[in-house]
Amino acid sequence: MDDIVGLIGRDELVEDLVAEIRKGKHVILSGPVGIGKSAVLKAALTQVQGKIDLLIRLHDHQAKGQFVEIARQMLALGLIGAQELELPAEFHGLPGPQIDWKAVKNRVNRMSMRDLTQAIIPALARSASRPVIAVDDLTSLTPTQMAFWLAIFDHAQVIGCASEKKNRVRKLWWKTKEIAVRPLPAEVIRDIVKKYITAKGVLIESPELYISHVVKQSGGVPQAIHDMLDESGKERIIDKRKVREMRHEAGAAYLDFTPMVMILGALIVSMRYVGMGTGDKTLYIMGGMGAALFLTFRFFIFKGVGR
């Protein structure tokens, strides 16, 4: 869809990220899955690419895969040697760009995170200019993996994305400037949908109903907008019935009953103490039965949500 509507509604966000990249700061783009963090990152890198001497782009979502990819790109650029990656002797005399990655990929994959880090860090330190490493996803980092990434932070500028800033790796977030990627406002979504309809020539019985429904169901999440437009674009004609049938999880709203449950639990417990203090056996028994029912209810509720 990007080739049709482009990156609408994110110009200011892209400008902010470009400014931070030019300052040399570590940056983390935060926001829920599908909010468009990677698209903003891509747009910003496109603007500054001509002014970055060494850019390493990582799309893998796992730390081990990210470090292997760093090694691959540095090998291709001649910034890291075969011996540093513990490759067989037959590759030791070859410049990195001449080494066939397919022939050594499995060997590098078998290296531990520690060994990969020990190979990568000196190579980054030797670089004539400070490398920029752009990462699509830093969400799943563990505390152990965080330690290896912190070493990378000392020798390269890191621009990353995370759908959740986990507290267990907060030392990593402390080193970064956070830029929050928020849901798109309704007027921007309307512009996107109108542009898509015009470009695709989709026949819609009620365009205004269609646009309003996408605005409501998408929740301002670009991936949800993309999914809905892509799915409906497969239809020859979209009538009102099909519009009303369009649904997306991003637009689902849930009520939080936690405060009500806590208040109910407190009232049940207080019944027992009041019954005990006043000598009212009926109230005391009712409080006990209520507590038993409450605990049973709580057990099944938390089991249902997997907690």
Side-chain angles (χ1 to χ4, degrees):
M1 189 182 74
D2 289 344
D3 57 337
I4 298 176
V5 302
L7 192 66
I8 297 177
R10 298 300 197 194
D11 294 342
E12 185 176 343
L13 204 59
V14 171
E15 290 176 6
D16 290 344
L17 180 55
V18 167
E20 297 301 332
I21 293 174
R22 287 174 175 167
K23 292 176 187 177
K25 292 185 177 180
H26 301 301
V27 184
I28 187 74
L29 291 169
S30 63
V33 174
I35 202 67
K37 302 181 294 296
S38 294
V40 171
L41 176 59
K42 180 181 177 180
L45 291 175
T46 300
Q47 290 192 23
V48 300
Q49 196 161 11
K51 298 182 180 180
I52 297 177
D53 295 326
L54 175 56
L55 173 63
I56 296 175
R57 191 81 165 86
L58 306 177
H59 300 289
D60 201 295
H61 293 268
Q62 300 300 321
K64 176 64 181 295
Q66 291 164 356
F67 274 58
V68 170
E69 181 60 17
I70 292 175
R72 184 192 72 78
Q73 293 188 37
M74 294 184 72
L75 183 66
L77 293 168
L79 298 174
I80 197 168
Q83 288 177 291
E84 291 173 296
L85 292 176
E86 302 176 2
L87 300 182
E90 61 188 280
F91 297 103
H92 288 185
L94 293 176
Q98 295 182 20
I99 297 177
D100 182 6
W101 176 250
K102 292 180 180 178
V104 300
K105 180 180 178 180
N106 290 337
R107 183 72 176 241
V108 177
N109 272 328
R110 288 196 294 269
M111 294 178 67
S112 66
M113 285 281 290
R114 184 178 301 279
D115 291 339
L116 281 168
T117 304
Q118 290 176 346
I120 290 170
I121 295 301
L124 290 174
R126 289 196 304 267
S127 178
S129 59
R130 190 185 186 202
V132 175
I133 300 178
V135 198
D136 275 349
D137 192 3
L138 288 170
T139 306
S140 60
L141 288 182
T142 65
T144 301
Q145 294 166 346
M146 176 195 67
F148 299 126
W149 264 109
L150 285 173
I152 297 288
F153 271 51
D154 291 335
H155 298 280
Q157 180 185 3
V158 178
I159 317 296
C161 304
S163 56
E164 180 185 358
K165 291 176 62 180
K166 295 180 179 178
N167 191 51
R168 60 183 181 178
V169 292
R170 59 186 179 276
K171 289 182 180 179
L172 199 71
W173 313 135
W174 291 344
K175 286 182 171 288
T176 64
K177 162 77 174 183
E178 181 180 5
I179 297 179
V181 183
R182 306 190 186 283
L184 293 170
E187 59 271 17
V188 172
I189 303 174
R190 299 181 76 87
D191 289 342
I192 292 174
V193 179
K194 288 177 181 178
K195 190 172 181 180
Y196 182 85
I197 292 173
T198 302
K200 295 286 286 186
V202 182
L203 298 176
I204 303 175
E205 181 182 353
S206 176
E208 188 56 37
L209 177 64
Y210 176 81
I211 293 171
S212 299
H213 200 72
V214 173
V215 170
K216 180 180 179 180
Q217 288 294 318
S218 67
V221 178
Q223 185 61 53
I225 299 170
H226 177 281
D227 293 343
M228 296 180 73
L229 294 181
D230 183 61
E231 186 63 29
S232 61
K234 298 174 183 178
E235 303 286 345
R236 293 181 58 189
I237 300 175
I238 303 175
D239 56 25
K240 291 182 179 180
R241 179 183 61 81
K242 290 178 180 177
V243 171
R244 295 189 182 97
E245 289 175 352
M246 291 169 58
R247 295 286 184 272
H248 200 283
E249 182 67 21
Y254 300 95
L255 293 176
D256 185 3
F257 289 101
T258 303
M260 295 177 61
V261 172
M262 296 296 293
I263 293 172
L264 178 62
L267 288 174
I268 292 173
V269 172
S270 65
M271 285 175 62
R272 286 180 60 82
Y273 282 103
V274 172
M276 186 185 302
T278 58
D280 189 333
K281 292 184 178 180
T282 302
L283 186 63
Y284 182 80
I285 293 172
M286 288 180 61
M289 293 175 62
L293 290 172
F294 175 78
L295 291 174
T296 303
F297 173 76
R298 181 183 180 277
F299 170 79
F300 284 107
I301 287 294
F302 279 95
K303 184 178 181 180
V305 298
R307 293 176 59 180

